[in-house]
Amino acid sequence: MNEMIIVFYGELTTKGKNLNSFIRCLGRNITDALKDKFPKLKFEIKRDHIYVILNGEDFTKVKDILVRIPGILSVSHVLPCDKDINKIAEICLNMMDESKKTTFKVVTRRVDKTFPMHSDEVNRYVATHILKNRDKVVKVDIHDPELKINIMIREDKVYIYGKKYQGAGGYPVGIQSKALMLLSGGIDSPVACYMMLKRGIKLECIHFAAPPYTSSKVITKLEDIIHKLNFYQKEIKLHIVPFTKLQLEIYKHVPTSYCITILRRMMMRIASIWALKRRCPVVASGESIGQVASQTLESIVSIENCLTKPMIRPLACLDKIEIIDIAKKIDTYDISIRPYEDCCTIFSTKDPTTCPRIDVCEKYESRFNYQELVEECVNNIETRVYSLTDEENIEL
Ligand code: ATP
Ligand code: MG
């Protein structure tokens, strides 16, 4: 008989009339993530859950992928059973044993009204069977059971599931429009990417490169990070900005204490133009308040002054330790700590101001024709597209 996985949606249920498009989006993401690797799977998309019918595919392997897909609250292994109350009770007893839990509750849904016992009778019968066989070891707890055993009596068969494997939560990628993400290759920005994706937002990434001061290995590092993110978004564009000339001009004309602020203001100007061109209504970064001089509240104000789009900062209030935990979970940490320098670190100064003033920034910026240099950067942006080949997909 055919085993299944039942997939429960995350926050989707709260979304009222948009529910249908959310379910379609999640259904598409699930089938996209699984269908090539597990060709025998079949999918049944319902209003408040999705069935993944295993057709002989391995439960654990499929489950391990499902729990990483944004928009999924939990998944459970569903065991099919004949419509025979003794067989049902036996499967539930085994489930209880395997779970190693001590309190339980049985919840039956009788879709097939011709089944001779009412839901409540099934609940009592099964619970009694478990208690009789495991007396003193387990108890029923109606209000807060450690294990909820669900019995679904359908026309074809009875389906039983218990243990819940927690999913990633959030929203399915693609239900929101796009953000232009500032991707640096450090620890933070890939984590910010993940958190944006988990809100259902699609990403295009922009990177400011300063060759030959920054090594081409930085780009390889970014490619490796993007490959990890391709699990969530099948195809990701990376826009590489040749930033060296503008950066050198900044260091020629601006006192060292203001260099990083002005540099970031230039990044914002370029990102604004590019976001407009790429139809991204917002930009996003991996900034975390107070982490470095350029991320104090005063710096944020002075830097954001040059941005014409709203900036989303998913990590704004997270500690570095929390960020590192997520980086490890999404497997970008080891890539991020490779030692190649970013354009900000290469030119970092000893005395960056933590309290820059907009009028002072403007005074320094008036010392050189940055508008022309910004335009030159934009005109020379190189775009690369990354997606997973089927083979790479299998290795995930
Ligand atoms: P780290 O883990 O070293 O803090 P980071 O990526 O957060 O890495 P920061 O210097 O803290 O680096 O930069 C803050 C944010 O600014 C980054 O998260 C990123 O969004 C953006 N940023 C910094 N440098 C670049 C760059 N070269 N290209 C694109 N975005 C950048
Ligand atoms: Mg940082």
Side-chain angles (χ1 to χ4, degrees):
M1 262 195 225
N2 214 341
E3 295 183 9
M4 302 193 295
I5 299 178
I6 186 165
V7 177
F8 289 104
Y9 310 147
E11 298 178 31
L12 299 192
T13 36
T14 59
K15 277 287 170 185
K17 65 179 189 310
N18 292 329
L19 188 62
N20 285 344
S21 55
F22 293 161
I23 294 171
R24 267 201 304 277
C25 183
L26 181 59
R28 206 167 39 240
N29 293 353
I30 290 176
T31 45
D32 279 355
L34 294 173
K35 69 177 189 306
D36 294 338
K37 268 164 278 176
F38 306 101
K40 287 187 266 169
L41 295 181
K42 291 269 175 295
F43 304 89
E44 264 182 47
I45 299 178
K46 307 276 182 192
R47 215 180 142 66
D48 54 1
H49 56 264
I50 293 175
Y51 290 120
V52 179
I53 299 145
L54 288 169
N55 281 328
E57 301 285 10
D58 183 74
F59 163 73
T60 307
K61 285 187 184 153
V62 177
K63 180 263 293 173
D64 286 347
I65 292 178
L66 282 170
V67 292
R68 294 175 60 204
I69 298 175
I72 293 179
L73 183 66
S74 69
V75 301
S76 293
H77 193 177
V78 184
L79 302 175
C81 175
D82 289 334
K83 287 173 154 178
D84 170 336
I85 190 64
N86 292 318
K87 287 186 181 166
I88 296 172
E90 206 44 38
I91 287 190
C92 294
L93 177 63
N94 285 341
M95 206 171 255
M96 192 65 215
D97 285 346
E98 273 168 26
S99 77
K100 310 231 176 346
K101 305 284 186 204
T102 53
T103 60
F104 73 99
K105 172 185 181 178
V106 183
V107 179
T108 302
R109 251 185 61 213
R110 198 175 58 129
V111 180
D112 174 12
K113 301 292 180 210
T114 65
F115 190 77
M117 291 166 87
H118 289 292
S119 310
D120 222 40
E121 287 175 278
V122 176
N123 292 344
R124 281 169 206 281
Y125 189 96
V126 171
T128 310
H129 181 74
I130 294 174
L131 291 171
K132 230 193 265 166
N133 288 282
R134 297 291 178 269
D135 190 22
K136 297 203 177 72
V137 181
V138 298
K139 338 191 260 251
V140 173
D141 183 343
I142 301 286
H143 303 293
D144 189 21
E146 287 172 43
L147 182 71
K148 190 167 140 198
I149 300 174
N150 299 276
I151 301 171
M152 248 187 313
I153 302 170
R154 303 212 307 189
E155 268 81 16
D156 55 342
K157 279 177 217 117
V158 175
Y159 294 89
I160 304 169
Y161 62 94
K163 181 173 176 167
K164 282 186 172 175
Y165 297 86
Q166 200 186 339
Y171 293 112
V173 177
I175 58 158
Q176 293 280 344
S177 55
K178 271 188 305 186
L180 184 64
M181 179 77 214
L182 278 78
L183 186 66
S184 68
I187 295 167
D188 301 332
S189 46
V191 172
C193 286
Y194 171 69
M195 293 184 73
M196 295 289 285
L197 290 163
K198 225 174 84 145
R199 290 332 280 172
I201 303 163
K202 277 192 151 185
L203 301 178
E204 292 201 11
C205 297
I206 185 164
H207 176 73
F208 297 86
Y213 301 98
T214 56
S215 146
S216 65
K217 287 184 175 146
V218 175
I219 303 296
T220 314
K221 190 175 168 182
L222 292 177
E223 289 175 350
D224 291 347
I225 286 168
I226 290 177
H227 262 71
K228 296 285 177 190
L229 299 172
N230 276 138
F231 174 83
Y232 309 98
Q233 182 179 322
K234 274 176 86 178
E235 194 183 274
I236 299 179
K237 288 194 174 72
L238 173 66
H239 308 285
I240 303 167
V241 185
F243 205 44
T244 318
K245 199 166 155 192
L246 175 51
Q247 207 167 350
L248 290 174
E249 285 300 299
I250 294 170
Y251 285 84
K252 213 189 287 172
H253 298 286
V254 176
T256 51
S257 62
Y258 264 72
C259 277
I260 197 77
T261 312
I262 306 271
L263 180 122
R264 291 202 162 258
R265 281 166 61 89
M266 297 301 166
M267 285 184 173
M268 296 306 122
R269 291 186 169 105
I270 294 166
S272 299
I273 298 169
W274 205 246
L276 189 70
K277 187 174 159 66
R278 296 300 311 155
R279 294 172 202 249
C280 297
V282 298
V283 296
S285 78
E287 288 165 296
S288 168
I289 296 165
Q291 196 184 76
V292 287
S294 61
Q295 292 168 35
T296 61
L297 291 183
E298 290 75 11
S299 287
I300 287 175
V301 171
S302 298
I303 292 166
E304 201 168 297
N305 173 253
C306 298
L307 191 64
T308 58
K309 300 278 181 189
M311 168 70 91
I312 313 273
R313 295 181 180 82
L315 312 185
C317 299
L318 293 191
D319 292 345
K320 196 75 185 186
I321 291 177
E322 294 169 303
I323 297 170
I324 288 175
D325 276 351
I326 304 173
K328 286 184 177 163
K329 195 176 92 184
I330 62 170
D331 214 13
T332 54
Y333 181 74
D334 288 340
I335 305 170
S336 291
I337 57 171
R338 288 183 205 158
Y340 312 113
E341 305 278 17
D342 182 54
C343 66
C344 298
T345 39
I346 289 275
F347 291 93
S348 69
T349 56
K350 284 202 189 74
D351 59 341
T353 175
T354 52
C355 201
R357 278 174 31 199
I358 293 173
D359 59 332
V360 177
C361 291
E362 285 169 350
K363 185 179 83 189
Y364 294 142
E365 286 170 353
S366 68
R367 290 178 178 177
F368 65 110
N369 187 354
Y370 71 83
Q371 293 87 343
E372 203 171 277
L373 293 162
V374 164
E375 203 179 305
E376 196 178 322
C377 282
V378 171
N379 290 340
N380 289 297
I381 287 178
E382 183 203 341
T383 297
R384 300 184 187 178
V385 186
Y386 298 98
S387 54
L388 288 184
T389 62
D390 286 349
E391 228 164 89
E392 286 164 326
N393 224 5
I394 287 164
E395 282 166 16
L396 271 172

